[in-house]
Amino acid sequence: MSIEDLKKLPLDELSAASVSYLDSGEKADPQSAVFLCQAIAGMGIGWTSPNPCVGSVICSNDGEVLGYGWHRRHGEAHAEKNAIENASTKGNKAKLSGATIYVSLEPCNHQGSQPPCCSLIVEAGIKRVVYVWPDPNRQITENGKPTEFLAAQSVDASMAEPGLRLQLPWLDPFIKSFSLEQRPYICLKAAVDPRFCMGSSTGEPTKITGARSQRFGHFLRQCFDGILVGRKTLLQDRPQLSVRTLENKNLEKRDPAVFVAGSSWCDKSILALNKLASIKSRKVIASCLNKDLLSIDGHGSLIDWISGDSPEELIPLLLKAGKEQGMQSILVEGGSSVQKSMYALGVVDRLFLMTSRRKQAVERPTFFPIKDHKAAKGLQLRALTGFDQELVSDFH
């Protein structure tokens, strides 16, 4: 498989296939190495937050891949350290002297739970650093700016051409969440038929897309810190909101936290909430009105309740609560009223729309708010991926 073949793969297959490419013995020119370090960063989805997903590839001057690595889990070794250790494991430690390390994010230069990556790079004898994205967390400069520190150690550090950056769902949340003060990064996901029908308002469960699109949807869930749905969707569809069909033998599955937007609650819907929270002791945060909080509290012991005075302020309060709890990203799955509210609030950063070619025959259909999407500024179609009889459109 070539680099061009990798670029054509669905996002949920890209990271693992890129690791296989790096193990194949093929050489990587500078542009390919920039692509690959971003691609393999996705091997850490679900476990690095609040740290970012980061990938790293080390190449010799003639393009030989000496080692690679990614940040696997929060609190554990960073991508650069893993790449250096991988090179040593492959017997390439001596070749690191004078090599180039490509990193999806600017290397850190501070002591946290791990040592500064800049120091590790210098100690390994690497003489050139190419990073794709500057670190948006500019507050951490206790040992000086990374590029200045590296330059003082005779290591050339530069940022790759911005045109080589990939807008990947495992990179965007960390990069962009620092500019969002009151909310996390927000991505919408919806499955529709050719009329943009999402299902039936009668409460009858409707399966629009097939198993392949479902796996892609579960992959997206793994990429995000939380999932947000409306109370009606929870009660009618009884979704598990899990990543159960995720296929990646090198990645441990992790079900994200759940946010449920609702103002009026009954015993039946609270029971559905508690059932969801009892699965693997997941964090579940739900909204309600202040006037109902006392009557709800005794019935929802597993739920964190966020309350407000009016229905209109409940979703912003949920998003703010997610931000305050350190979540960088939320995947919004429905229903249509919740998605419409997101567009009205102007908080949609990305949309994955999975479209079946089969028209659904349902009573009282509900529709994705396509008019609101088209009116949104800044969201453009960037990629299309075909799954048999279905199509995934990626807007960002």
Side-chain angles (χ1 to χ4, degrees):
M1 181 175 288
S2 68
I3 293 293
E4 291 306 312
D5 292 330
L6 289 174
K7 292 178 179 179
K8 297 174 184 177
L9 289 176
L11 291 175
D12 57 342
E13 298 176 12
L14 174 59
S15 297
S18 295
V19 171
S20 296
Y21 178 89
L22 288 165
D23 283 333
S24 69
E26 293 286 341
K27 291 189 175 183
D29 60 38
Q31 288 194 4
S32 297
V34 168
F35 171 84
L36 289 164
C37 73
Q38 296 176 85
I40 66 171
M43 294 296 291
I45 59 172
W47 294 104
T48 64
S49 184
N51 284 358
C53 287
V54 181
S56 178
V57 176
I58 306 174
C59 294
S60 65
N61 291 333
D62 66 353
E64 180 188 357
V65 176
L66 304 178
Y68 64 85
W70 60 88
H71 183 36
R72 296 175 180 270
R73 190 181 290 259
H74 177 251
E76 296 184 1
H78 291 183
E80 296 92 327
K81 182 178 182 180
N82 285 332
I84 291 170
E85 291 182 350
N86 179 255
S88 297
T89 300
K90 292 176 179 291
N92 293 327
K93 185 175 182 179
K95 295 181 180 180
L96 292 177
S97 180
T100 298
I101 186 168
Y102 298 86
V103 194
S104 60
L105 185 72
E106 185 179 11
C108 68
N109 193 35
H110 65 277
Q111 178 69 50
S113 60
Q114 296 293 316
C117 290
C118 286
S119 297
L120 296 176
I121 290 169
V122 172
E123 291 169 8
I126 294 169
K127 288 302 180 182
R128 184 165 178 252
V129 176
V130 178
Y131 61 91
V132 184
W133 293 91
D135 190 342
N137 189 3
R138 309 310 295 182
Q139 297 177 345
I140 303 177
T141 56
E142 60 190 50
N143 295 329
K145 293 181 179 180
T147 51
E148 294 176 355
F149 172 85
L150 290 168
Q153 305 298 320
S154 300
V155 177
D156 176 56
S158 61
M159 187 166 61
E161 288 293 327
L164 298 178
R165 294 173 180 171
L166 305 178
Q167 305 294 326
L168 297 169
W170 53 84
L171 298 179
D172 278 5
F174 179 83
I175 298 297
K176 297 181 179 179
S177 64
F178 277 86
S179 63
L180 305 172
E181 295 181 358
Q182 299 297 317
R183 65 173 179 87
Y185 177 89
I186 303 296
C187 176
L188 265 61
K189 176 180 78 70
V192 299
D193 76 358
R195 302 172 299 159
F196 297 99
C197 171
M198 297 172 58
S200 172
S201 61
T202 63
E204 177 186 356
T206 305
K207 189 171 183 177
I208 294 177
T209 54
R212 183 61 185 86
S213 289
Q214 183 186 53
R215 290 203 306 272
F216 183 80
H218 289 185
F219 154 78
L220 285 179
R221 289 174 179 172
Q222 180 93 7
C223 289
F224 289 81
D225 294 332
I227 304 171
L228 191 149
V229 297
R231 180 190 62 83
K232 289 183 179 179
T233 296
L234 178 70
L235 191 57
Q236 292 177 0
D237 297 348
R238 298 297 177 95
Q240 296 182 43
L241 302 177
S242 70
V243 298
R244 59 192 180 278
T245 66
L246 184 68
E247 292 187 351
N248 188 331
K249 63 181 180 180
N250 295 311
L251 182 67
E252 183 181 349
K253 297 178 181 179
R254 180 203 57 92
D255 293 331
V258 175
F259 294 79
V260 184
S263 55
S264 58
W265 291 88
C266 63
D267 288 343
K268 189 176 181 181
S269 54
I270 292 175
L271 182 64
L273 266 182
N274 278 307
K275 185 176 180 181
L276 193 63
S278 66
I279 302 174
K280 298 182 182 178
S281 301
R282 299 173 70 178
K283 177 183 284 294
V284 176
I285 305 170
S287 66
C288 67
L289 295 175
N290 279 323
K291 64 182 180 64
D292 298 323
L293 182 59
L294 291 178
S295 61
I296 288 175
D297 192 44
H299 298 284
S301 58
L302 298 176
I303 314 303
D304 291 340
W305 291 97
I306 303 296
S307 60
D309 293 321
S310 67
E312 293 75 21
E313 67 179 359
L314 295 182
I315 288 181
L317 285 172
L318 279 177
L319 300 182
K320 185 178 181 182
K323 185 75 171 183
E324 290 173 348
Q325 294 190 28
M327 297 186 192
Q328 296 172 354
S329 59
I330 292 179
L331 181 67
V332 179
E333 297 205 10
S336 60
S337 60
V338 170
Q339 292 166 340
K340 192 175 183 67
S341 296
M342 291 293 174
Y343 280 115
L345 291 168
V347 297
V348 180
D349 300 303
R350 192 165 190 162
L351 165 68
F352 284 97
L353 197 62
M354 289 174 276
T355 307
S356 170
R357 292 184 171 89
R358 297 180 294 272
K359 183 178 177 181
Q360 298 296 308
V362 296
E363 294 183 33
R364 294 165 54 191
T366 59
F367 295 94
F368 179 80
I370 189 65
K371 290 183 179 179
D372 298 86
H373 168 72
K374 290 181 177 179
K377 295 181 179 179
L379 288 177
Q380 299 179 19
L381 178 62
R382 303 292 186 184
L384 289 168
T385 303
F387 292 149
D388 297 327
Q389 295 299 310
E390 296 152 11
L391 190 68
V392 177
S393 304
D394 180 3
F395 298 86
H396 55 87

